[in-house]
Amino acid sequence: MDKNIILKTEYKENEEIKNLTTYKTEGHINGAFYPKTESEFKNIYLFLKENKLPFIIIGNGSNLLISPNTNIFAISTKKLKQTIMFKNNNMYISSSVTLSQAYLEAFKRGYSGFEALAGIPATIGGAIKTNASAFGNSIFDILEYIKIFSNGKTLKLKKENIQHAYHSTNINNCIILSAKFNLNKKSKYQIKKDFSQFMINRSLRQPKGLCCGSIFRNPPYNFAGKLIEACGLKGHNQNDAQISPVHANFIINKGNASYYDIKSLIELSQLQVKKKFGIDLECEVEIIE
C-alpha cells in the first residue's frame, strides 16, 4: 500500500448519495474516493480493507439503494481510466467502461455480443458481479475471463471458475479490474437492427425515470412483476416513490422519493406476494443500510 498514492487520490467527504446512484435519493455517506488509475484503485481498496473501514465499490450505482443513515465509504469508478482493446474477435475492457460504450466500440468493428445488454445502465465490473442479463442474453455468455485484485495480488479468473447463476455470482472480497470477451463477427446492419429491436422492446416493457432496474429476481417458473400486479400494487405510490404502472417489478423515484419511501414499497410488495401466493420475493437491488 502506497500512502502517497492514497493522499493524491481524489476524495469527497460527506458525499451525497444522489451523486452515486441512479435512484438519486437523499442523504450522505462518510465519503467517496474517485481513483483515476488502477494503482489508485488498488491502493484505496487496500487502505480501506487494512483499516477495517466499511465500504462499497460503485460503478454507475444502477443496482443500489443506500440508506442516509449508513456509516460507509465508497470507491467510485466513475473517473477511472477506461481501456478498450481488440485482438481479432477478442475484446479486452476495463471494469469502468459502460455496457453501452462496449456495444458502440464492438459495433464500430463489426462485432456482435453486447446488443441485448447495451440498454442496461451498468459498468462492465458491475454487470459481471451481478451477472447482468436481458432478453435471454447474459454477460457470462460472452465472457472468457476477468482480472481481479484480491489479497494484494492481481489474479485471472476464467469464467468456468466463477460460480454464476441467474443475476448472481460468487465474486466477493475483491475488485474487478478488467475482462476479456469473445465476440462474433457480424454485419453492422444486422448488429444495429438487433440492437434497435432490443431497445424498442425495452422501451415498451420498462418504465422511464429514476430507478435501479428490476427490484426483485424472478422466482422459478414465475415473474415478480406479474405477482406484484396480481396483488393490486401496480401504480401504487408512497409519496414520490411509485410501483411503476408500466412494469410492477420497477419502483420509480418521481422526483423526491426518499430511501424510506422506496424501501417501504419493496417491503409492501414482499409482504403482499408472500400473503397471496406464499412466495418470497428476493431483492435484486442491493440495499445498503
Side-chain angles (χ1 to χ4, degrees):
M1 184 175 67
D2 190 327
K3 292 183 179 179
N4 289 326
I5 290 178
I6 293 168
L7 291 171
K8 292 178 182 178
T9 302
E10 183 179 340
Y11 174 70
K12 187 169 182 181
E13 190 173 5
N14 296 320
E15 177 63 292
E16 292 185 89
I17 294 169
K18 68 180 181 180
N19 294 331
L20 297 168
T21 70
T22 54
Y23 255 135
K24 298 192 179 300
T25 51
E26 85 299 339
H28 300 77
I29 60 170
N30 291 342
F33 294 89
Y34 291 89
K36 296 181 176 66
T37 66
E38 187 175 293
S39 180
E40 288 184 354
F41 194 14
K42 291 178 179 179
N43 274 273
I44 292 300
Y45 175 79
L46 287 174
F47 168 75
L48 293 170
K49 289 276 284 187
E50 291 178 10
N51 286 278
K52 295 181 170 54
L53 295 170
F55 71 96
I56 51 174
I57 298 170
I58 302 179
N60 266 11
S62 59
N63 198 44
L64 285 174
L65 178 63
I66 301 177
S67 167
N69 294 319
T70 190
N71 180 35
I72 204 166
F73 292 89
I75 305 175
S76 172
T77 66
K78 284 184 177 180
K79 298 185 180 182
L80 197 60
K81 181 181 178 182
Q82 299 180 342
T83 58
I84 299 174
M85 296 185 295
F86 287 85
K87 187 174 182 181
N88 299 321
N89 67 321
N90 296 318
M91 188 176 185
Y92 302 83
I93 319 178
S94 59
S95 63
S96 57
V97 174
T98 65
L99 289 171
S100 60
Q101 289 173 311
Y103 160 74
L104 286 171
E105 293 302 317
F107 166 71
K108 289 176 187 177
R109 295 161 177 82
Y111 287 113
S112 168
F114 283 100
E115 294 90 316
L117 303 171
I120 301 172
T123 59
I124 291 294
I128 292 172
K129 189 177 187 302
T130 59
N131 188 17
S133 65
F135 307 107
N137 295 268
S138 161
I139 195 164
F140 271 77
D141 294 340
I142 55 175
L143 180 68
E144 182 174 326
Y145 68 71
I146 62 174
K147 283 187 178 180
I148 65 168
F149 184 68
S150 178
N151 296 320
K153 296 180 180 179
T154 300
L155 306 170
K156 183 188 291 186
L157 285 181
K158 292 185 178 180
K159 174 173 68 174
E160 52 266 31
N161 295 325
I162 304 170
Q163 293 179 23
H164 58 282
Y166 168 62
H167 288 189
S168 66
T169 70
N170 69 335
I171 301 171
N172 292 301
N173 299 315
C174 68
I175 54 178
I176 300 172
L177 299 173
S178 61
K180 177 185 178 183
F181 296 93
N182 292 319
L183 306 180
N184 297 311
K185 197 72 176 175
K186 192 181 285 187
S187 73
K188 288 187 177 181
Y189 170 80
Q190 188 61 50
I191 294 170
K192 192 169 185 178
K193 180 180 178 183
D194 292 343
F195 167 74
S196 298
Q197 189 59 57
F198 286 129
M199 294 304 288
I200 290 170
N201 290 341
R202 187 179 294 277
S203 67
L204 292 173
R205 299 180 188 180
Q206 298 182 6
K208 295 179 175 63
L210 303 178
C211 71
C212 69
S214 299
I215 290 290
F216 303 105
R217 293 183 174 90
N218 287 324
Y221 315 110
N222 217 319
F223 297 96
K226 182 179 178 181
L227 294 169
I228 296 166
E229 182 176 354
C231 292
L233 295 176
K234 197 173 187 180
H236 186 81
N237 293 275
Q238 173 63 39
N239 295 324
D240 253 10
Q242 180 186 49
I243 295 175
S244 171
V246 176
H247 193 312
N249 198 19
F250 288 73
I251 295 177
I252 305 299
N253 178 0
K254 296 193 293 182
N256 294 302
S258 71
Y259 161 85
Y260 302 102
D261 293 332
I262 295 167
K263 192 165 185 285
S264 72
L265 290 182
I266 291 174
E267 292 172 345
L268 177 65
S269 298
Q270 289 175 315
L271 178 66
Q272 293 301 317
V273 169
K274 178 68 173 179
K275 184 177 179 180
K276 188 176 181 69
F277 299 103
I279 294 173
D280 292 308
L281 289 180
E282 183 182 358
C283 271
E284 185 170 321
V285 59
E286 184 178 359
I287 300 174
I288 307 296
E289 296 182 305

